[in-house]
Amino acid sequence: MNFIWMLFPTQIDKFWDIAKKGAVVIMSLGRVRVLEALWRLPATRLSASTVCPTVCRPLSSAGARSGPTSPDPQEQAGQVQQRPAKNTSKAMMAYLERATKHEEFMRKQVHEFEIGKRHLANMMGEDPEHFTQEDVDRAIEYLFPTGIFDKKARPKMRHPTEVFPQQKAAQFDATGRPFHTLFYTLKPNFYMTLYELVEKMNQLDRLQAKNDALGKLPDTTQKLSLLGSEWLDIEELGKMLVETLKEPQYQEFVRAMNRLVEHPLAYHHKDFIFKYRKMLRVSNETDTVPELLFDSAGRPYMEATGYRKRAVARAVVHGRGSGRVTVNGLPLVHYFHRDGGRSGNQDVAQVMYPLQVAGVLDSVDVEATVQYDGPTQRYHGKRRRGHRKRTSFVPEPWKRPHPVQAPSSQAGAVRHAVSLALRSFVDKEMQETMRLAGLLTRDVRERERYKPGKKGSRKGRTWKKR
Amino acid sequence: MLALLWLKLTAMCHYKFSTMTRPHKLRIKLHYNQHAMSLYRSAVRLLPACLRVTSRRALVTSSARTKDHDLHLPTPAGPLGTWATLKPRPEKYVDTEADIDPSVTDPLRHPDYFGVRELFTMSDLFDARVHLGHREGSLNPYMAEFLLGSRLGHCVFDLERTAQLLRDALNFTAHIAYRGGIIMFVCRSPQHVHMVERTAMECGEFSHCRHWPPGVFTDSTALFGGVTRLPDLLVLLNTLDTVLEQHGAVKHAAKMLIPTVGVVDSNCDPRLVTYPVPGNDDSTTAVRLYCKLFSEAIRRGKAEREKSAVV
């Protein structure tokens, strides 16, 4: 008798591996609804190999073992309508029932999703036929504006296959006999990985013994470098294997892989090792430094924006200059000059520092514009009776006199802008030096908020014993 | 040849008996089957007089060992029947080719349909060090019947008994494979896990050599996420877990009425194993031999099945 073997997306590779080994794949009787449900899915989904939920192959009658001899291929098609054979195991019956229910559920969800997409398209006044997932996201953002910070908590509409977790396909044939040799361990994929690992270790040991006999040494040029990558963490590994792993199992896996990596001939199994490693992004490698621009006079220049606290600065650095620096139209020293209080030399030094590090103090010109917007300190000192000159509380920005406020943040912003622009003028080594000097990093320190019951962000009120 | 082998084994055991004088300990008398005793007696006549002993000292075990009688089973001559210690070995035991009736074609009536007797000899068992048990101190009282005795404190298995039981076990395994049963290998010895898993893979069967969650058999529907067909036979190459407690599979298989074939060492409890095979479960050579024998038995069973399906 014949049985259908349904396959869910994750198992497609495994199906072909098993099929290649000559395992019996049998066509199923009955459960026509399952087949029908699958064929009713939209054509676009069926065509994508990763999303296609069905794989069916006809029976190879030589493999049929249990019960009477298998019928002819012509009769097979006609027999699809009959009930499943008596010797279908309970396990298979239960699986078919579960699979049918799941398919019905998914079909309903997909149908609702498609209708919802059409509604959205109509609401947005766009063509429902050519409404892509990006359009859906845009529409949702427009129709359901939200101030929620957590991106995962925001409303979204995705295809049901992305939302509902993938299930493992039938793990056994119609007689209930599992396909995977380690099925009864409950984590066949994971323990198969460990088995393969040990197999590879043994292979390498044998190879090393052979090499030792021949007097051959391991090839040091091909030595494995694990820099810039790390082992997949427990969730990622579990997702890859479609099995939930526990911490001790994961630790065992990591220990075993580290042992394999330590073997001098480990480079022979580089692919296997890197399958379980994820590459780490290094931001300074991925940040591309823009090429120099040229103005009408043929002079090279570069623009950049810098930030510090609430100040925003825009700097234009011109090459073939003489060291002139202007901020908001004023010379540097004049702009950062303050009456009474600080002299502003510190601010001037801050702006000149990147030029000094890059060694271009007398070869570039800088034109910067900087704008400040936002408050700085709230609490400035202890309130004293009789002292009217110094106020302990700095009023909000709209109450303060214009123009220059918080000059050090403006200086910091200009410095950041100038450093970013200077990257295009210097070589990679100098760029690295500037990065290490902290010139290219946006200083994220902001004023900490005031808390009620405190004087400012941290300082408490006078403590009284009674 | 057989006598020579016997000489080797018996000579080892009876060279020197330890003179233990522990008056408060439980004494267990070793029970020997008649056939073995007769062979022994004939072998003893060949020994020089100085090595002959007039009485057999029983192996002494401490009363502390009785603590694993928590299963509250009756004496070994209980419901399990055929391997009961107090019954003498049946007289008509099919040992030679001449005893097999060629007219018997039904596999179940045939005493050795798959010819498992030719898979090994007692010599092979000896070379693979199957006869070496653990020390007397860790001897399980229910294993005492399978021993010839001890040599310098180390238990020595009666290989003739082992051979009989191994043949029974292999025959049963082959029959299960013949009927398309699911066979699962279990081994918790870390150095043999890889070998056993490979054996299972090569003969197209299953293995479970990892941590055993308690509900694999008894709560399978919950753990596997649905109704699952359980194994039809368990082949335990190691009935103890890594922490020297009995492997949960032994008890759970008994609960689920799954027959077990188990290699039981001198520190193991053979009572819940359907087809115990007393022998060494620690040496790599011994485990390699068991893997080879069981996989060959399974292959023969499956080959027979293919033949009968095609025909």
Side-chain angles (χ1 to χ4, degrees), chain A residues 65 90-91 94 98 172 175-186 191-192 194-195 198-199 202 252, chain B residues 180-182 184 194 197-198 201 204-208 210 213 223-231 302 305-306:
Chain A
R65 206 175 301 314
K90 251 202 275 180
R98 269 202 323 267
F172 41 81
T175 58
R177 198 187 172 84
F179 297 124
H180 203 295
T181 182
L182 299 174
F183 170 78
Y184 292 104
T185 57
L186 295 165
Y191 288 122
M192 197 63 196
L194 290 184
Y195 172 84
V198 175
E199 187 64 41
N202 294 343
E252 193 188 339
Chain B
I182 294 177
M184 192 167 96
H194 188 78
E197 284 185 343
R198 194 177 56 229
M201 250 179 251
E205 295 297 337
F206 306 84
S207 60
H208 194 309
R210 310 288 176 170
L223 262 68
F224 289 103
V227 174
T228 330
R229 180 179 162 191
L230 294 179
K302 286 186 168 173
R305 190 179 162 77
E306 294 259 338

Side-chain angles (χ1 to χ4, degrees), chain B residues 160-181:
Chain B
E160 242 216 22
R161 193 77 200 279
T162 299
Q164 287 164 24
L165 292 167
L166 184 55
R167 266 179 241 129
D168 290 341
L170 290 170
N171 183 45
F172 185 72
T173 310
H175 274 280
I176 294 272
Y178 175 63
R179 272 153 213 287

Side-chain angles (χ1 to χ4, degrees), chain B residues 34 46 53 85 89 119 145 191 224 240 261 279 310:
Chain B
Q34 311 298 325
L46 299 169
V53 289
T85 61
R89 201 172 85 172
L119 291 179
E145 55 155 316
Q191 70 243 53
F224 289 103
L240 293 182
V261 162
V310 167

Side-chain angles (χ1 to χ4, degrees), chain A residues 37-55:
Chain A
L38 295 169
W39 289 124
R40 255 184 250 131
L41 279 175
T44 47
R45 291 296 161 192
L46 276 179
S47 57
S49 60
T50 49
V51 183
C52 176
T54 10
V55 177

Side-chain angles (χ1 to χ4, degrees), chain A residues 82-242:
Chain A
Q82 292 174 19
R83 279 181 314 177
K86 279 182 200 162
N87 51 1
T88 315
S89 70
K90 251 202 275 180
M92 194 52 172
M93 304 277 275
Y95 166 76
L96 285 171
E97 219 179 281
R98 269 202 323 267
T100 322
K101 274 204 197 121
H102 182 77
E103 280 307 304
E104 279 293 320
F105 170 77
M106 285 302 281
R107 198 171 60 82
K108 199 174 129 201
Q109 293 295 320
V110 169
H111 181 62
E112 281 177 13
F113 172 77
E114 295 297 329
I115 288 182
K117 237 172 55 165
R118 297 187 81 89
H119 276 308
L120 264 184
N122 286 331
M123 274 191 261
M124 298 298 281
E126 291 188 32
D127 178 19
E129 299 301 323
H130 302 108
F131 208 57
T132 61
Q133 185 57 46
E134 280 163 13
D135 297 330
V136 168
D137 293 338
R138 230 179 354 96
I140 299 268
E141 223 183 296
Y142 174 72
L143 294 167
F144 301 96
T146 169
I148 299 173
F149 288 118
D150 191 356
K151 296 234 161 83
K152 288 182 195 168
R154 291 184 189 161
K156 67 182 176 202
M157 194 166 111
R158 292 278 143 84
H159 194 272
T161 47
E162 288 173 50
V163 174
F164 297 105
Q166 288 175 330
Q167 280 186 359
K168 267 190 181 173
Q171 304 281 295
F172 41 81
D173 64 16
T175 58
R177 198 187 172 84
F179 297 124
H180 203 295
T181 182
L182 299 174
F183 170 78
Y184 292 104
T185 57
L186 295 165
K187 292 184 200 327
N189 296 338
F190 173 69
Y191 288 122
M192 197 63 196
T193 311
L194 290 184
Y195 172 84
E196 281 168 16
L197 210 158
V198 175
E199 187 64 41
K200 285 169 165 58
M201 277 291 290
N202 294 343
Q203 254 179 48
L204 292 181
D205 286 339
R206 284 195 292 270
L207 184 61
Q208 192 171 40
K210 225 182 355 175
N211 285 351
D212 287 347
L214 297 168
K216 246 170 88 172
L217 290 170
D219 190 355
T220 44
T221 55
Q222 289 188 61
K223 196 170 152 63
L224 266 186
S225 168
L226 297 179
L227 281 178
S229 62
E230 60 178 21
W231 296 117
L232 294 174
D233 64 21
I234 191 170
E235 276 152 21
E236 288 165 343
L237 186 64
K239 220 173 173 181
M240 192 171 125
L241 300 169
V242 198

